[in-house]
Amino acid sequence: QVQLVESGGGLVQPGGSLRLSCAASGSIFRIYATGWYRQAPGKQRELVAAITIDGRTNYADSVKGRFTISRDNVKNTVYLQMSSLKPEDTAVYYCNAASPDSDPLGYWGQGTQVTVSS
């Protein structure tokens, strides 16, 4: 099993920046991709950014140029650097990890709330 713990969420003003962290533990050695999803009230969970084991990244069109996903293999942590935040970025952000041992939807963290408001 893989355990994922998100941190770094909070309240930020429009135009501000925030960095989310996702610490992975357990049977992490077969993870081939990690990503960040978000879910706003009344909406379905959507992919924000993902990074594969070879370092390739993918972003939702709505966050391209503003968000950056990265990985620290020594700390077993994936990050989401968010800049130029907008009110529509407000959501619960979830860390996800894909592995041959996981269910089709992968492993999930508990989520961290990001609120962008003045």
Side-chain angles (χ1 to χ4, degrees):
Q1 286 291 112
V2 171
Q3 295 80 46
L4 304 173
V5 179
E6 302 99 329
S7 62
L11 176 64
V12 64
Q13 294 184 354
S17 299
L18 207 61
R19 188 179 77 160
L20 306 183
S21 299
C22 173
S25 61
S27 302
I28 65 174
F29 302 106
R30 285 157 58 84
I31 294 174
Y32 59 83
T34 56
W36 288 94
Y37 289 71
R38 67 186 181 188
Q39 187 168 22
K43 300 183 65 177
Q44 292 197 351
R45 192 171 300 185
E46 64 175 349
L47 175 67
V48 176
I51 185 167
T52 59
I53 193 171
D54 59 351
R56 291 181 291 115
T57 58
N58 185 54
Y59 298 92
D61 289 340
S62 59
V63 307
K64 286 181 179 177
R66 300 189 298 119
F67 291 10
T68 301
I69 188 170
S70 62
R71 183 180 61 229
D72 187 330
N73 291 325
V74 175
K75 297 181 178 180
N76 296 322
T77 301
V78 63
Y79 303 95
L80 184 67
Q81 178 65 51
M82 305 183 293
S83 300
S84 301
L85 283 162
K86 305 174 181 179
E88 50 263 44
D89 295 319
T90 296
V92 177
Y93 284 71
Y94 297 90
C95 185
N96 173 265
S99 165
D101 303 316
S102 70
D103 292 334
L105 295 178
Y107 302 105
W108 295 94
Q110 82 287 351
T112 184
Q113 176 71 48
V114 172
T115 302
V116 184
S117 176
S118 59

